[in-house]
Amino acid sequence: MRPRIKYVLAALLLSVPAFAQETEAPEPIITESTVTTKQETDLKSPPASAISPTINTSNSDLCTFGVAGAVQTQILGVSTGTQITDDNCEMLKNAKTLYDMGMKVAAVSVMCQDQRVFDAMMNAGTPCPKDGLIGAEAKAAWEVDPEKEPKKAAQEGKEFNSDEKTLMGAGGVLLLLLGLLL
């Protein structure tokens, strides 16, 4: 009989009625949210870079020098450069070269292309060579044909010297910068 008791107990345990608790239907969950986003962006750009050209005049035997400049804004960059030749330096180097080659009259003749040297030579009583003539003969030739004398700077058309050219170039760059800023 004992095995039957096991079955009966198992049937009783399994046949116990289950009671569920009655509840109301759950209300739906409603979530409301408002999201406000403010986004700021800082633009960090690299610095402007207008690079002026390098003009190498490091050789002391040259009669040129370089002038360069650059202007840069956030929109536009401009750079420029040039070489300026010193005519007086060239004249002195040419005269020295001629003198070193033993051509002393030709060296003096090159120097006499400058009005100041021409006047100094005439005032010293040693006139500049003219058409291969030297001394008193050259003086007489200059007196007969004074139109071939070197012209004074005031009589020539206005030519800007290197300082004036540099100032005008710097002024032009500054005007360009001012125009870009406005």
Side-chain angles (χ1 to χ4, degrees):
M1 219 166 124
R2 278 192 167 191
R4 260 188 179 176
I5 295 179
K6 285 183 185 178
Y7 289 117
V8 172
L9 283 176
L12 284 175
L13 285 174
L14 291 175
S15 63
V16 176
F19 297 101
Q21 182 180 6
E22 290 184 28
T23 61
E24 296 179 17
E27 292 184 28
I29 300 172
I30 298 172
T31 304
E32 290 183 26
S33 66
T34 302
V35 178
T36 303
T37 303
K38 182 178 179 184
Q39 184 177 7
E40 291 184 20
T41 303
D42 288 336
L43 178 62
K44 296 189 179 195
S45 61
S49 58
I51 301 168
S52 56
T54 312
I55 301 171
N56 188 6
T57 57
S58 62
N59 187 348
S60 63
D61 198 34
L62 297 176
C63 291
T64 61
F65 60 93
V67 177
V71 175
Q72 176 70 48
T73 66
Q74 288 295 335
I75 299 170
L76 178 68
V78 177
S79 64
T80 185
T82 187
Q83 285 185 329
I84 297 175
T85 303
D86 184 357
D87 295 331
N88 190 49
C89 175
E90 282 186 345
M91 180 183 66
L92 293 171
K93 286 195 179 291
N94 288 339
K96 183 179 180 335
T97 303
L98 288 168
Y99 186 85
D100 290 345
M101 293 186 325
M103 304 179 81
K104 296 178 183 179
V105 175
V108 171
S109 182
V110 167
M111 293 294 295
C112 283
Q113 292 174 5
D114 184 345
Q115 179 66 41
R116 298 169 297 180
V117 174
F118 184 87
D119 291 341
M121 295 285 286
M122 291 300 263
N123 290 336
T126 56
C128 291
K130 181 170 187 340
D131 298 328
L133 303 173
I134 57 172
E137 295 172 342
K139 186 173 184 174
W142 283 117
E143 289 172 355
V144 170
D145 194 12
E147 293 176 7
K148 291 196 177 181
E149 289 182 18
K151 294 186 177 165
K152 294 184 179 177
Q155 293 175 347
E156 293 179 5
K158 175 64 177 162
E159 186 174 321
F160 298 110
N161 64 29
S162 59
D163 291 337
E164 291 171 331
K165 289 178 184 177
T166 303
L167 285 174
M168 288 191 309
V173 169
L174 289 175
L175 284 174
L176 179 64
L177 177 61
L178 182 63
L180 290 173
L181 292 176
L182 296 178

